[in-house]
Amino acid sequence: MARAHTKNSVLVIGGGIAGIQASLELADKGLKVYLIEKSPSIGGRMAQLEKVFPVTDCSKDCVGTCWLCVLMPRMIECYRHPNVKLLTYAEVKKAEGKIGNFTVNVVQYPRYVKDKCVNCGVCVEKCPVKVPNEFEMGLKDRKAIYTPFPQAIPNIVTIDAENCLHFKKGGCSICEEVCETKAINYSEKPEQLTLNVGAIIVATGFDLFDPSQIPAFGYGKFKNVLTAMELERLLSPFGPTEGRLLRPSDGKEPESVAFILCVGSRDRRFYSYCSSICCKYSLKMAVSIKQRNPKKEVYLFYTDLRAFGKGFQEFANEAKKIYGVKYIRSNPGELLEDSATRDIKIWYEDTMSRSVQNLTANLVVLCNACIPREGTNELAKVLGIELDNFGFVKQLDEITHPVDTTIPGIFAAGYALGPRTGDIPDSITQASAAVERVFEVLHSRKEE
């Protein structure tokens, strides 16, 4: 078992935008950072987005609103920073101690690929196994040896042992045979690490509500009913359709797109809170669609437009007046599919006129609730921190200590704290606040 003893060191759990930002700021202050990410690459949810708010037409004037411009430089800097030790495909298993002296046990799972991999892609091309691609929300397949996405950091392949024929049945060694750099190593084992750190930041992000739990919306049954993240991938130039908005049922461009907000959120059956970002990202994608083709009809079925964040209300007004996005304040009740056209008919109560109406769209997008990340409950038990009533990390005090958890020396940032975080700028701000708290408590202990 490897053991690392480093004074003035910090553990950051989660490699999304909040975790990356916190790691860079801590590292720039001279602290040693261990950045733990459960998946094979850092980047988090932000790496799946087409653009970030406020959306502009990058084909005319690139002002840095695609995720690549905002996140990628931070990912690369994080990977190269001498004070950051990046541990991907890793998980925290045990933690004990107190502020200034935490001992954390981490397991780093094997990639079965050595660092000398140059990601030439030959092994991926030759691999005979195909499985749904998680990064592409299942809209495209990947191989059993794969890179999560083209810009992944670290940019080397990973073998999915659960689906690899070498581990399931034995006999298949194609990736090893075609690898010119001899980077494949089937004998790798999980590595146990023990880290000694002065403070911990939790930045584990969020998961998405499964809308198939609401059968009336037809998700999983009707091909042309998608989730918002699935639409993000279709709009992305690096996505399964290389940025072309095509219907899953027939590969044709939809002439009309309807967004249904608050799917699973503000709903007492599931999650009663507002997810805080759905209004913003739905309008972002609605405007993106209209920028590509102003003739497309785009509808927004909303409960209330909630103007979280700077500039959102102005953007909402522009989406309506300049781009022609049509707002329908409503309670959607049931979605039905036309068996001939595969179009979707939306039955809804218009809450302004108090009448029942219907509208047919070529494509429907469900803006599903943001929920606690899978494994948050287990991580909370390991760290000894409390969760709130919804399963997010509980703040010590929302006003005076907004990034402190219930355990001294353990802080949190980003959507790990729940929908109060808001959007990407808020996550970055919280990450900076957590860094300042870490620096404050470690500095105060030096003086004791």
Side-chain angles (χ1 to χ4, degrees), residues 245 257 259 285-293 296 298:
L245 179 55
V257 180
F259 291 83
M285 288 190 284
V287 168
S288 182
I289 291 170
K290 295 289 281 187
Q291 285 175 339
R292 295 164 183 238
N293 187 345
K296 292 187 184 296
V298 180

Side-chain angles (χ1 to χ4, degrees), residues 217-227 230 248 335 344 362-366:
F217 286 167
Y219 180 75
K221 180 181 178 183
F222 305 146
K223 286 189 175 182
N224 293 327
V225 176
L226 302 176
T227 65
E230 288 170 346
L335 275 59
I344 306 297
N362 300 142
L363 187 70
V364 172
V365 181
L366 305 178

Side-chain angles (χ1 to χ4, degrees), residues 15 20 37 39-44 47-48 67-68 71-80 86 88-89 111 117-119 133 135-136 142 146-158 233 238:
I20 290 172
E37 169 55 42
S39 70
S41 171
I42 57 174
Q48 292 180 286
W67 78 266
L68 205 61
L71 182 63
M72 196 64 201
R74 288 177 168 90
M75 292 172 62
I76 295 172
E77 186 181 357
C78 205
Y79 183 63
R80 293 177 176 175
L86 182 58
T88 55
Y89 224 23
R111 289 176 178 266
C117 167
V118 295
N119 204 357
N133 189 327
F135 186 83
E136 300 294 355
R142 64 164 172 81
Y146 69 106
T147 307
F149 53 99
Q151 303 82 13
I153 297 292
N155 199 238
I156 59 177
V157 296
T158 300
R233 297 312 305 150
F238 307 107

Side-chain angles (χ1 to χ4, degrees), residues 12 28 31-32 34 45 47 78 119 132 153 157 169 175 180 197 202 206 221-222 244 280 286 333 345 380 400 421 441:
V12 178
D28 286 342
L31 299 178
K32 177 68 177 180
Y34 298 99
R45 291 289 181 189
C78 205
N119 204 357
I153 297 292
V157 296
K169 299 180 180 180
C175 53
E180 293 185 0
V197 297
V202 179
F206 64 90
K221 180 181 178 183
F222 305 146
R244 294 171 295 165
K280 183 175 288 187
K345 179 175 285 189
T400 62
T421 299
V441 298

Side-chain angles (χ1 to χ4, degrees), residues 298-338:
V298 180
Y299 305 91
L300 212 72
F301 289 82
Y302 72 100
T303 307
D304 297 294
L305 280 181
R306 297 196 163 183
F308 290 92
K310 182 180 178 181
F312 174 69
Q313 189 59 60
E314 292 80 359
F315 182 74
N317 293 336
E318 289 180 4
K320 182 177 182 180
K321 295 177 182 179
I322 298 176
Y323 293 101
V325 176
K326 297 176 181 178
Y327 298 177
I328 302 175
R329 194 173 187 275
S330 59
N331 287 320
E334 186 177 19
L335 275 59
L336 298 174
E337 183 187 62
D338 185 310

Side-chain angles (χ1 to χ4, degrees), residues 14 48 62 65 79 118 121 134 136 142 154 187 222 247 267 277 289 314 332 343 354-355 370 375 411 420 431 441:
Q48 292 180 286
C62 181
T65 62
Y79 183 63
V118 295
E134 304 89 342
E136 300 294 355
R142 64 164 172 81
S187 63
F222 305 146
R247 298 204 315 173
D267 188 330
I277 60 174
I289 291 170
E314 292 80 359
D343 291 341
R354 296 294 180 183
S355 61
C370 300
F411 307 93
R420 61 179 65 85
V441 298

Side-chain angles (χ1 to χ4, degrees), residues 163-184:
N163 292 292
C164 174
L165 294 179
H166 179 87
F167 293 97
K168 289 182 69 176
K169 299 180 180 180
C172 181
S173 301
I174 292 177
C175 53
E176 183 181 41
E177 293 167 7
V178 300
C179 181
E180 293 185 0
T181 61
K182 306 300 179 185
I184 305 300

Side-chain angles (χ1 to χ4, degrees), residues 4 11 17 33 60 122 156 160 170 217 232 239 244 268 271 282 300 305 316 338 349 353 366 395-396 399 417-418:
L11 175 68
I17 181 59
V33 180
K60 297 179 181 178
V122 175
I156 59 177
D160 173 6
F217 286 167
E232 288 277 7
R244 294 171 295 165
R268 292 181 181 178
Y271 299 92
S282 60
L300 212 72
L305 280 181
D338 185 310
E349 176 197 8
S353 64
L366 305 178
Q395 296 166 302
L396 182 62
I399 304 300
L417 286 167

